[in-house]
Amino acid sequence: MTTKPLTLAEKVWNDHLVAKGENGSPDLLYIDLHLIHEVTSPQAFDGLRLAGRPVRRPDLTIATEDHNTPTWDIDKPIADPTSRTQIEALRHNAKEFGIRIHSLGDIEQGIVHVVGPQLGLTMPGITVVCGDSHTSTHGAFGALAMGIGTSEVEHVLATQTLPLKPFKTMAINVEGKLRPGVTAKDIILAVIAKIGTGGGQGYVLEYRGSAIRDLSMEARMTICNMSIEAGARAGMVAPDQTTFDYLKGRPHAPEGTDWDAAVEYWKTLPSDEGAKFDAEVNLDANTLDPFVTWGTNPGQGVSLLDVVPSPDDFTDPNDKAAAERALEYMDLKPGTKMKDIAVNTVFLGSCTNSRIEDLRAAAEIIKGKKKADGVRFMVVPGSARVRLQAEAEGLDKVFKDFGAEWRFAGCSMCLGMNPDQLAPGERAASTSNRNFEGRQGKGARTHLVSPLVAAATAIRGTLSSPADLEGAN
Amino acid sequence: MEKFEVFTGVGVPLRRSNVDTDQIIPAVYLKRITKTGFEDALFSAWRNDPEFVLNQEPYKHGQVLIAGPDFGTGSSREHAVWALRDYGFKAVFASKFADIFRGNSGKQGLVTGVITEADTEKLWQALEANPGASITVNLIDQTATIGDLSVQFEIDEYTKWRLLEGLDDIGLTLRDEQAITDFEAKRPAWLPKTLPAKHQGA
Ligand code: SF4
């Protein structure tokens, strides 16, 4: 009997081991929950059909439509033929293989990473996969959640397992108290700026420390969501009372004695005292400012109070060259104050920041204020449920009065697979997770921001935080 | 995935080097939602040229491709293998392959054999001297044979074993089927299930 202290990630891994890999071959892990959407699944289902294989566990699988779905006129046929074909294929496949699907117009439809937690399907200690890199979101519950490719989707559909190579663990310690106006989004943008977009490669990150403990589940999801932008395989937060309170009473959460048994197990999951991480990174929450990106990868970020850096600030020749390219693409001059950067569009949405708390926080800022002239403000709730909840709270009215577009749920301008795109050269403050060249439209320029910065920016027209608003104290 | 031991089919000399995956299948075909039916996409740009080898009668039904060095470079798209497979190719020989393409091929049952440049030239000449000639690919002995001409090819042991056994990734895992079933029997009942569907109260 070994008593080696283990990390959260190692515990979840060990508890899902179906077969241990021999001579360097991967371990075979059981998958508790498989989430599916229209973009990465069609060929996986076709592969099953080709080989005459069934879906092993339709009862551990759930599908929703999000990447391609329109956020206006959702009752009209989808105009783009590729989008329409992918969505029709998903509906057809779900029917043929007996998989639960939440289609456009359904009350549970939404971004796949918003839907799973909302239904109470995402739980501590489980393994979650989805053909989408931001599956790391679900790690906020203390689940081991990973994005996979289309051939792996087929593999999970057929076997409910996945061969996986061992990982390393990294502790991200965030101690202290966030100042007003500073959020989970700022923590993760600062972490990525610190360790770089490749800094997490081969690692599962565990976010720890008092600042993480203080966060709500939704804020923890924002952080885990962007683990992938640091190159990590997954990101996790140990489950605690906040996690249990969030789950209790959700449609698929355990009930009665099952609940007690579950909580008892969940309480064993946090990393043991003395567990060894392969790497550790520390971040001081007390001194953190709102963080925004200036470049074309999520690691190219600075404090909002800072200026656009110069390529000469970077010693590494690759970073220097990347900064030069990014500044050219972003049409920014070194030394420009971040707060002087004017935007055309503000996008509040995506699986990073489209949950009810994000909408509430933004609405709180804009309430009774006027939108900057010429700025377009798009609000896209993460799911149909979030949209309904917001409407029940009157948030839709706040957004509409302000002059924002109140849209239907989906990925929308996070990646512009549907008609929600920026025009070439347009600049956006976006609460999404990727500021890659062309991500939000060909030639479009993206600054990643928190919902609070998004709201303040919509009022002032330039990148701003709530502290910059008139009457702010 | 079918087992591969010995196969005989029409040989096609493709006298080109550095055939990247964009040439094997251009990006426009990646929008499709199927994993089959890519036969029309194979080398589609080149097939507009009536002189292209696959447009010549005896080669139209080709099943064994002999190509120049650095076959399958460029984007990692699995579609390149699907297109070759759907067209009817069972094996490709070249003196050098891109690693990812080779890995993808092994998983889809397409044999990729490495032969010397000298042997490539010999096979090309033999096919050109006798258009429509068949090549016999023997995976057990690792030989490719046209009449009296027989060349040796290389393939790694693991891929060879998988091809001989006809095991794709899923097939490999399903060899552990009993372990999966045993694991499932021990899972606690309170773990999440998507079915039957439950919803929030109205
Ligand atoms: S919202 Fe964006 S990042 Fe999230 S799943 Fe959709 S496209 Fe991917």
Side-chain angles (χ1 to χ4, degrees), chain A residues 40-83:
Chain A
T40 50
S41 65
Q43 265 130 5
F45 283 110
D46 209 45
L48 290 185
R49 220 173 273 129
L50 221 58
R53 290 175 174 136
V55 171
R56 184 179 178 94
R57 295 296 301 265
D59 61 334
L60 304 183
T61 312
I62 187 169
T64 183
E65 301 165 2
D66 54 7
H67 284 66
N68 280 291
T69 50
T71 54
W72 267 161
D73 296 334
I74 63 166
D75 46 349
K76 303 233 175 79
I78 297 169
D80 176 68
T82 308
S83 300

Side-chain angles (χ1 to χ4, degrees), chain A residues 66-67 111-113 132 134 350-351 411 414-415 433 439:
Chain A
D66 54 7
H67 284 66
I111 306 174
V112 65
H113 310 308
D132 185 278
H134 294 95
S350 91
C351 57
C411 295
C414 174
L415 87 169
N433 45 45
R439 169 88 172 174

